[in-house]
Amino acid sequence: AAFALALPAKKEKEPTAQERSYLLGCAKDIWSYFDTFCTEQDNYLPPDNFQEQPPVGIAHRTSPTNIGLALCSAMCAQELGITDLTRVVSFIASMLGTMEKLQRYSGHFCNWYDTRTLAPLSPPYISTVDSGNMYAGLLCAANALDAWGEAELSSRLRAIMAGMDFSPL
């Protein structure tokens, strides 16, 4: 096993034009979901899902994983040229304003919130996995914001990260 680990890594295969086109289309679809559904009605938080059939519509609940993924999607959409920096900064700022209002425990977000009332869904609890996903999304977004010269927003995201005490988890 040690010998195998010491061998040079295989050269990564570059995606074909068709594969790149497909992946970019997936990225556009993912960003479109968040761009469409993170609205003022839902306090700029991403709904857990949207169900077309049967026509149930938006699930007005969100989780730390959903929020972290929305932050990453916004960052990636800008990096890939799907949307512009102004839209991404506005998107993150709106979401961040809501995140700073949400009830937390040891800095961790509850696993589920009603996106309209911002109340934690019963019973409120903290998920190690969701907290890790949220932290990863915050870190990626903060690093991107630093690179784009958006220090104020980055500082606000990092303040949330700094408040997350993982020792109870």
Side-chain angles (χ1 to χ4, degrees), residues 14-30 80 82:
E14 289 292 319
T16 65
Q18 183 178 6
E19 291 168 333
R20 281 182 186 273
S21 176
Y22 172 76
L23 292 171
L24 186 58
C26 290
K28 285 178 181 177
D29 288 345
I30 293 167
L80 293 169
I82 295 169

Side-chain angles (χ1 to χ4, degrees), residues 7-13:
L7 294 173
K10 290 183 181 177
K11 184 178 178 185
E12 290 186 26
K13 177 187 159 217

Side-chain angles (χ1 to χ4, degrees), residues 74-130:
M75 175 199 65
C76 290
Q78 197 284 327
E79 293 279 331
L80 293 169
I82 295 169
T83 193
D84 60 37
L85 182 59
T86 302
R87 173 63 188 128
V88 169
V89 168
S90 172
F91 179 87
I92 293 173
S94 296
M95 187 177 293
L96 185 55
T98 300
M99 291 168 61
E100 291 168 334
K101 297 176 192 174
L102 295 174
Q103 179 182 328
R104 292 179 251 174
Y105 172 77
S106 294
H108 293 276
F109 292 82
C110 295
N111 208 60
W112 293 106
Y113 294 93
D114 184 306
T115 57
R116 293 163 297 178
T117 67
L118 303 183
L121 297 182
S122 188
Y125 64 95
I126 306 301
S127 163
T128 303
V129 170
D130 279 270

